Amino acid sequence: MGKVRILILGGTTEARRLAERLVARTDLDIVLSLAGRTAEPLPLPVPVRSGGFGGPEGLARFLRQEAISLMIDATHPFAERISANATEAARLADVPAFSLRRPGWEPVDGDRWISVANVAAAVEALGPSRRRVFLTIGRQEAYHFNAAPQHNYFVRSIDPVEPPLQVPDAAYILSAGPFTLESERRLLQAERIDVIVSKNSGGTAAYAKIEAARLLGIDVVMIERGTSAGLPAVTSIEAALDEIDHRLSPAMKRGV
Ligand code: NAP
C-alpha cells in the first residue's frame, strides 16, 4: 500500500511536536512547510520545504503536484494570511484540511491585562506618558511602535528587528525561549519593566512572562486574536492525531 502524503504548515512548536509524533508512522509521508523567515530554524524530524507558495493558487498547485491527501494548518494563531490561504487552497484543490491551533491564554486573578484588538491599538494603550516597555510581539510588527517614541523600549525577538525602531530609547535582546518563570521575573526586575506588550499566543513556551508580570503587578497589553473562520480546528496534538486517523481511514482503505 502506498504512503499517504500529509502537508503540515508549520513554524510553531505544535507543528514540530506533531511531526515528531508522526515521523515513525510507516503509512505516512510527511512534508513540513516553513515560511523561511527564521534564519536558523530548529532542526525538524521530517522533510522540510521553505518559502511562500505564491498565494492560495500556489498552495493549491503544490497540493496537487505533491499529491497531498491531507493538509494540517499548524501555523501560529497570528499568522492570519497563510491560514486564509490554506482554507482557500483546500477548497481549490479539493484536499481535506484542518487546523491545529493552541487555545489562547485566559486572564486569572492578579493579572493586569489591557486587552486590545491589534498592534496599532496596543501602541495607543501605552498612553501618552513615558513607560518602560517590554516588547515581545515578534520583529515583523515592531515598527508600529515608532508611532510612540516617548517610551523606552526593551525589545525581545528571535531574529533582529530590521530596521531598528526609530525611537530615541530602545534596546534589543535576541532570544527564542522557552523561558522560565524565574528568568522572566529576574529580567523584568533588572530591566525595570512597567508594561509588557504581548500577543495572546497561548501555549506554554511564552507564558512565563505573563506569570512573572502577575507576580510583580506589571501591566500587560494583550493583543487578542482575530476571529478565524476557515478550517475546522483542533486544539491539541492528541486531537490532531485522532483527526488524522479519522480523515485518512477512507484513503487508507482504498489503498491510496
Ligand atoms: P502570514 O502573514 O500569515 O503569511 C504571510 C505569507 O508568508 C503567506 O502568504 C505565505 O506566502 C507565507 N507563509 C506563512 N507561513 C508559511 C508556511 N508555514 N509555509 C510557507 N509559506 C508560509 O504569516 P506570518 O505572520 O508572517 O508568519 C510566518 C511564519 O512564522 C508562519 O509559518 C508562522 O507559523 C510563524 N510564526 C508567526 C508568528 C506571528 O506572530 N505571526 C509567531 C511565531 C511563528 P505565500 O502567500 O507566498 O504562500
Side-chain angles (χ1 to χ4, degrees):
M1 185 173 107
K3 291 190 177 192
V4 172
R5 273 173 79 66
I6 296 182
L7 172 65
I8 302 175
L9 301 175
T12 57
T13 309
E14 284 70 25
R16 166 184 309 283
R17 294 222 184 100
L18 183 62
E20 284 164 358
R21 295 289 296 273
L22 293 174
V23 67
R25 292 260 307 247
T26 52
D27 54 337
L28 303 179
D29 191 7
I30 311 292
V31 56
L32 192 147
S33 175
L34 296 177
R37 303 281 160 73
T38 305
E40 289 176 39
L42 292 171
L44 284 152
V46 295
V48 172
R49 51 90 48 215
S50 187
F53 295 97
E57 297 78 13
L59 179 50
R61 205 174 313 120
F62 182 91
L63 293 173
R64 286 194 210 96
Q65 280 170 357
E66 297 291 321
I68 301 293
S69 297
L70 175 65
M71 171 168 60
I72 303 169
D73 173 15
T75 58
H76 192 270
F78 281 84
E80 291 176 5
R81 188 156 3 130
I82 186 68
S83 293
N85 289 357
T87 306
E88 178 63 4
R91 194 186 63 76
L92 291 172
D94 195 20
V95 167
F98 70 90
S99 68
L100 166 58
R101 185 121 312 150
R102 57 198 180 209
W105 300 314
E106 297 288 342
V108 302
D109 271 0
D111 278 332
R112 299 162 55 100
W113 289 13
I114 303 143
S115 289
V116 296
N118 52 46
V119 180
V123 177
E124 285 292 313
L126 292 177
S129 346
R130 181 177 175 84
R131 304 185 79 178
R132 174 69 166 155
V133 182
F134 186 28
L135 193 56
T136 64
I137 61 164
R139 74 193 160 95
Q140 293 190 85
E141 289 166 295
Y143 70 88
H144 284 276
F145 290 83
N146 290 335
Q150 70 273 30
H151 303 300
N152 182 350
Y153 294 96
F154 185 65
V155 185
R156 182 168 69 192
S157 56
I158 298 176
D159 290 300
V161 176
E162 292 288 356
L165 296 185
Q166 307 294 302
V167 300
D169 292 310
Y172 301 87
I173 178 173
L174 298 182
S175 188
F179 305 99
T180 66
L181 176 57
E182 197 36 48
S183 67
E184 294 289 63
R185 194 152 70 124
R186 249 184 282 126
L187 182 132
L188 294 178
Q189 285 179 310
E191 295 296 333
R192 301 177 183 280
I193 301 297
D194 62 75
V195 59
I196 299 177
V197 182
S198 173
K199 288 177 174 170
N200 192 341
S201 300
T204 54
Y207 190 62
K209 62 175 181 264
I210 307 298
E211 276 182 290
R214 183 187 313 140
L215 294 176
L216 296 171
I218 290 174
D219 290 342
V220 176
V221 174
M222 187 65 84
I223 303 166
E224 301 294 350
R225 302 169 177 200
T227 45
S228 60
L231 297 173
V234 300
T235 57
S236 70
I237 305 287
E238 295 305 325
L241 294 169
D242 287 348
E243 190 69 16
I244 289 168
D245 288 336
H246 172 68
R247 299 243 181 184
L248 291 185
S249 50
M252 287 172 171
K253 281 191 197 117
R254 284 201 311 272
V256 171

